[in-house]
């Protein structure tokens, strides 16, 4: 089979005005970025149409290091829905350069189920990530300057909470010292870098409902604590307006197309292991304005992305999916069935069946939110009919719908079974009103413990000294009403990436908290999770090149 980039290069793209026209967006509203990409003003959102649209969440079992293929399934489902005559629109996250050049590769789907142009989407796209990076680091520069310019007046922060960001994996920048040199070179202080998808500006962009809400949230960002113990925020520097200027274009969603010319809004890109893992609320609501069926996804496994989709994004926006699609693969099931990772591509019925415990836990978790769940078997070339039949039979025993997805190899034709099941299930058994995992009124500890015990299966939550100190600050600042965003490994329900399957009765360790007063959530750092990833021994960057004028190696 051809590579992703070969398929993308050969796809018959149509002008973006024609993609927009298919869903009723007139050309006058487009802000084109070349022939095949455009931004759409978010002010076209029509709440009455949003209320009538069918929102479908795609999530997954706990992934392998190669992933599970959620984006490919999401795109495939949209293609399949169009094949059966439905008006389907996608709402997806933008890829980060970090994994693109690091370990995982790109994030624009795969095979014959991609969003295009994949090279532009995976690289600089419309500059949204650069705008977020610039806005975040502009605040850091303005803060450093404020400290420098006002220190003679006695101004000082006893603790600085704002770091810098960069959209590449660079472990050497996790902790740095700034201001070295002459006295005029600044004030010496400790700082560090997170990756751009972990930026609070990214979270704010993804949760803001409009420009006014964006400004309000930026003004409220907590930068540090003054020597008298009071908070110092962006609004205290009077620079929120300039940050909004940097994000003026980025707030509008990006319209692209799939390999079969299906409209797709690709906008915002927080990771789910270190952030909240969902595309922008604006893009989702824009897609729902124009699509009868809107497919969106949440990052990594359902214990991360879906939990945050419900407990943060839906809580804040009022969105509610009509259905959740849970993606599974034989590789993932076997890995969680104690099959060595080097063997998970080989037939192994016993290992596959042992892995059902991971699938079942995710199904029960999603059902606890009131969601109707169907399982999508994301098929690979090495999968056998016998193993697929085992999964199908097990899902029948669990009382959940099952469909195969082969969109990677066949495009929309390979997702017709899934599309028909989705339509039938929404018509006959739509999800109930959301039951969130905790209430706003509960304490931060109660919220963390609710997710850790009910979703992950932990017995106890342990708070290290740094976390306990931050809990006291959260309480003193009156921020306990915020939802929690738990940053943890994507490879396990626990905080140990090597603990596969369904661990139970384990201790779950919170080592620190990060206060996001702009995004209005509290980030709990669990285990050894890093908000600035490092590169692997053999990074994907070694495979990416320009050959005869064409980009090669993107996947």
């Amino acid at each position: 089979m051809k590579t992703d980039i070969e398929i993308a290069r050969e796809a018959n793209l149509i002008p973006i005005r024609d993609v927009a026209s298919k869903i009723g967006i007139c050309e006058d509203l487009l802000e084109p970025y070349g022939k095949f990409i455009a931004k759409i003003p978010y002010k076209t959102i029509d709440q009455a149409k949003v209320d009538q649209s069918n929102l479908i969440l795609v999530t997954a079992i706990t992934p392998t290091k190669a992933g599970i293929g959620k984006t490919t399934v999401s795109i495939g489902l949209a293609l399949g829905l169009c094949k059966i005559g439905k008006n389907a629109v996608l709402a997806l996250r933008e890829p980060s350069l970090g994994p693109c050049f690091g370990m995982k590769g790109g994030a624009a789907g795969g095979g014959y189920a991609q969003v295009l142009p994949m090279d532009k989407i995976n690289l600089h796209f419309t500059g949204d990530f650069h705008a977020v990076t610039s806005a975040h680091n502009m605040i850091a520069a303005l803060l450093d300057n404020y400290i420098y310019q006002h220190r003679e007046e006695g101004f000082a922060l006893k603790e600085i909470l704002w770091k810098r960001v960069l959209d590449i994996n660079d472990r050497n920048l996790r902790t740095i010292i700034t201001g070295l040199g002459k006295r005029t070179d600044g004030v010496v202080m400790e700082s560090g870098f997170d990756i751009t998808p972990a930026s609070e500006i990214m979270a704010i962009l993804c949760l803001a409902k409009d420009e006014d809400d964006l400004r309000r949230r930026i003004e409220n960002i907590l930068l540090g604590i003054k020597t008298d113990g009071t908070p110092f925020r962006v609004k205290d520097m009077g620079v929120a307006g300039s940050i909004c200027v940097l994000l003026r274009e980025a707030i509008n969603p990006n319209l692209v197309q799939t390999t079969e010319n299906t409209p797709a809004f690709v906008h915002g890109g927080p990771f789910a292991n270190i952030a909240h893992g969902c595309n922008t609320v604006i893009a989702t609501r824009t897609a729902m304005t124009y699509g009868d069926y809107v497919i969106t996804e949440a990052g990594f496994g359902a214990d991360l992305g879906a939990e945050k989709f419900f407990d943060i994004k839906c809580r804040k926006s009022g969105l509610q999916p009509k259905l959740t699609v849970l993606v599974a693969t034989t590789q993932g099931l076997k890995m969680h069935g104690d099959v060595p990772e080097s063997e998970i591509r080989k037939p192994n019925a016993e290992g596959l069946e042992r892995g059902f415990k991971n699938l079942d836990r995710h199904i029960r978790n999603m059902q606890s939110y009131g969601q109707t769940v169907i399982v999508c078997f994301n098929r690979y070339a090495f999968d056998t009919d016998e193993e697929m039949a085992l999964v199908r039979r097990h899902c029948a025993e669990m009382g959940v719908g099952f469909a195969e997805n082969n969109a990677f190899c066949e495009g929309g034709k390979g997702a017709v079974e899934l599309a028909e099941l989705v339509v039938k299930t929404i018509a006959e058994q739509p999800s109930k009103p959301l039951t969130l995992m905790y209430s706003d009124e509960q304490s931060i500890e109660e919220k963390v413990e609710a997710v850790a015990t009910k979703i992950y299966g932990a017995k106890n939550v342990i708070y290290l000294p740094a976390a306990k100190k931050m809990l006291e600050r959260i309480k003193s600042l009156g921020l306990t009403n915020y939802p929690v965003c738990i940053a943890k490994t994507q490879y396990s329900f626990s905080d140990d990436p090597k603990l596969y399957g369904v661990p139970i009765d384990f201790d779950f360790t919170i080592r620190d908290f990060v206060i996001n007063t702009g995004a209005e959530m509290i980030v709990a750092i669990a285990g050894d999770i890093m908000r600035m990833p490092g590169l692997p021994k053999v990074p994907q960057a070694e495979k990416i090149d320009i050959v005869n004028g064409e980009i090669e190696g993107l996947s």
Side-chain angles (χ1 to χ4, degrees):
M1 183 170 166
K2 296 176 181 177
T3 65
D4 289 353
I5 200 161
E6 287 173 336
I7 292 169
R9 201 175 290 142
E10 295 173 4
N12 182 27
L13 293 180
I14 63 175
I16 196 63
R17 65 175 182 273
D18 295 338
V19 177
S21 177
K22 291 173 69 171
I23 51 175
I25 302 175
C26 67
E27 187 174 356
D28 290 346
L29 290 174
L30 304 183
E31 183 180 341
Y33 282 68
K35 295 179 181 179
F36 306 117
I37 301 170
K39 279 191 171 288
I40 309 297
Y42 75 85
K43 293 180 181 179
T44 63
I45 292 171
D46 185 330
Q47 187 58 45
K49 293 180 180 178
V50 171
D51 293 339
Q52 296 300 312
S53 185
N54 296 292
L55 181 61
I56 302 153
L57 174 66
V58 177
T59 185
I61 65 171
T62 309
T64 67
K65 290 180 180 178
I68 293 291
K70 279 192 320 304
T71 307
T72 302
V73 169
S74 298
I75 298 167
L77 174 54
L79 302 181
L81 286 166
C82 290
K83 279 285 184 188
I84 63 173
K86 303 300 181 182
N87 173 25
V89 180
L90 281 155
L92 303 174
R93 291 175 298 162
E94 298 178 47
S96 161
L97 293 179
C100 185
F101 286 82
M103 181 176 70
K104 194 177 177 184
Y112 290 93
Q114 299 185 53
V115 283
L116 305 174
M118 70 90 81
D119 54 342
K120 294 183 184 297
I121 293 170
N122 272 307
L123 298 175
H124 304 292
F125 202 18
T126 59
D128 292 344
F129 266 61
H130 300 309
V132 168
T133 304
S134 298
H136 187 115
N137 292 336
M138 178 62 76
I139 292 174
L142 289 165
L143 176 60
D144 287 350
N145 182 64
Y146 193 96
I147 295 170
Y148 176 80
Q149 299 292 352
H150 294 272
R151 59 182 175 169
E152 300 298 336
E153 303 164 16
F155 176 83
L157 295 179
K158 68 177 182 181
E159 189 171 355
I160 296 173
L161 303 174
W162 192 254
K163 299 169 72 174
R164 289 160 165 80
V165 298
L166 193 65
D167 192 34
I168 58 172
N169 296 356
D170 194 338
R171 61 173 56 84
N172 275 30
L173 293 179
R174 288 172 183 161
T175 303
I176 63 170
I177 302 295
T178 64
L180 296 174
K182 302 186 295 295
R183 188 176 185 277
T184 54
D185 291 330
V187 179
V188 177
M189 62 186 81
E190 184 176 317
S191 186
F193 280 79
D194 294 332
I195 195 165
T196 298
S199 166
E200 185 175 358
I201 297 294
M202 179 66 81
I204 288 171
L205 180 70
C206 289
L207 292 170
K209 62 182 181 181
D210 53 33
E211 288 177 336
D212 290 341
D213 193 35
L214 181 74
R215 178 184 292 268
R216 178 187 68 82
R217 289 171 177 274
I218 289 171
E219 286 181 338
N220 286 337
I221 291 172
L222 179 64
L223 300 176
I225 305 297
K226 293 188 283 189
T227 51
D228 63 1
T230 58
F232 187 73
R233 306 176 190 270
V234 167
K235 63 184 175 184
D236 295 319
M237 296 194 297
V239 299
S242 65
I243 305 305
C244 288
V245 167
L246 289 174
L247 298 171
R248 188 182 183 192
E249 300 298 327
I251 195 172
N252 290 316
N254 309 300
L255 179 66
V256 292
Q257 62 190 289
T258 69
T259 39
E260 296 180 11
N261 313 124
T262 308
F265 289 94
V266 180
H267 195 217
F271 293 161
N273 59 342
I274 53 179
H276 79 283
C278 309
N279 64 270
T280 66
V281 169
I282 283 174
T284 303
R285 293 178 68 225
T286 303
M288 294 175 74
T289 296
Y290 297 105
D292 296 330
Y293 292 86
V294 170
I295 303 94
T296 192
E297 66 167 340
F300 294 119
D303 57 315
L304 282 166
E307 184 273 315
K308 294 170 184 178
F309 182 89
F310 297 135
D311 284 319
I312 298 175
K313 182 172 179 175
C314 292
R315 181 190 301 268
K316 294 290 185 179
S317 66
L319 293 169
Q320 170 151 342
K322 295 286 182 66
L323 178 71
T324 290
V325 178
L326 186 67
V327 182
T329 62
T330 57
Q331 296 174 85
L333 292 170
K334 290 171 191 173
M335 187 182 78
H336 294 292
D338 302 320
V339 177
E341 288 187 57
S342 60
E343 302 291 316
I344 58 177
R345 292 191 171 200
K346 299 177 182 178
N348 188 326
E350 293 79 10
L352 185 77
E353 291 182 297
R354 288 195 300 269
F356 288 157
K357 57 190 176 182
N358 187 275
L359 173 71
D360 296 352
R361 181 60 183 265
H362 285 296
I363 290 172
R364 291 193 297 270
N365 283 347
M366 295 301 94
Q367 290 173 336
S368 72
Y369 284 96
Q371 284 290 291
T372 299
V373 180
I374 64 173
V375 171
C376 171
F377 183 101
N378 192 27
R379 187 157 193 170
Y380 284 74
F382 47 79
D383 290 330
T384 66
D385 291 341
E386 291 76 16
E387 288 186 328
M388 189 180 75
L390 280 176
V391 184
R392 187 183 293 272
R393 184 168 66 246
H394 178 75
C395 289
E397 293 169 355
M398 287 287 291
V400 300
F402 173 92
E404 178 186 354
N405 171 67
N406 200 23
F408 184 92
C409 294
E410 298 179 357
K413 182 175 65 174
V416 166
E417 180 191 5
L418 175 61
E420 290 175 340
L421 177 62
V422 164
V423 172
K424 181 175 184 289
T425 306
I426 289 175
E428 297 178 358
Q429 193 185 352
S431 295
K432 300 173 184 176
L434 278 177
T435 301
L436 298 177
M437 202 49 50
Y438 50 81
S439 68
D440 291 341
E441 292 72 29
Q442 288 179 272
S443 69
I444 296 299
E445 296 98 316
E446 288 172 328
K447 292 170 182 175
V448 171
E449 288 155 19
V451 176
T453 58
K454 296 177 185 178
I455 299 296
Y456 305 157
K459 182 178 181 181
N460 301 301
V461 177
I462 296 172
Y463 300 93
L464 298 185
K468 291 179 179 179
K469 179 181 176 182
M470 288 300 292
L471 278 172
E472 291 305 312
R473 175 167 292 159
I474 291 164
K475 293 172 186 175
S476 69
L477 292 172
L479 305 177
T480 56
N481 61 310
Y482 286 172
V484 294
C485 177
I486 300 179
K488 77 168 187 74
T489 178
Q490 65 268 36
Y491 299 122
S492 172
F493 276 111
S494 73
D495 54 10
D496 179 354
K498 296 181 180 179
L499 204 56
Y500 296 153
V502 183
I504 57 172
D505 294 337
F506 54 90
D507 290 334
F508 191 76
T509 302
I510 302 296
R511 62 179 174 86
D512 204 356
F513 287 96
V514 176
I515 300 173
N516 283 180
T517 49
E520 297 178 340
M521 63 187 181
I522 302 298
V523 181
I525 311 296
D528 295 326
I529 195 73
M530 294 291 181
R531 284 161 61 89
M532 170 54 87
L535 290 166
K537 188 172 184 179
V538 182
Q540 187 75 13
E542 293 186 13
K543 305 174 184 177
I544 297 172
D545 201 352
I546 298 176
V547 179
N548 298 324
E550 300 282 5
I551 296 173
E552 300 291 351
L554 283 177
S555 61

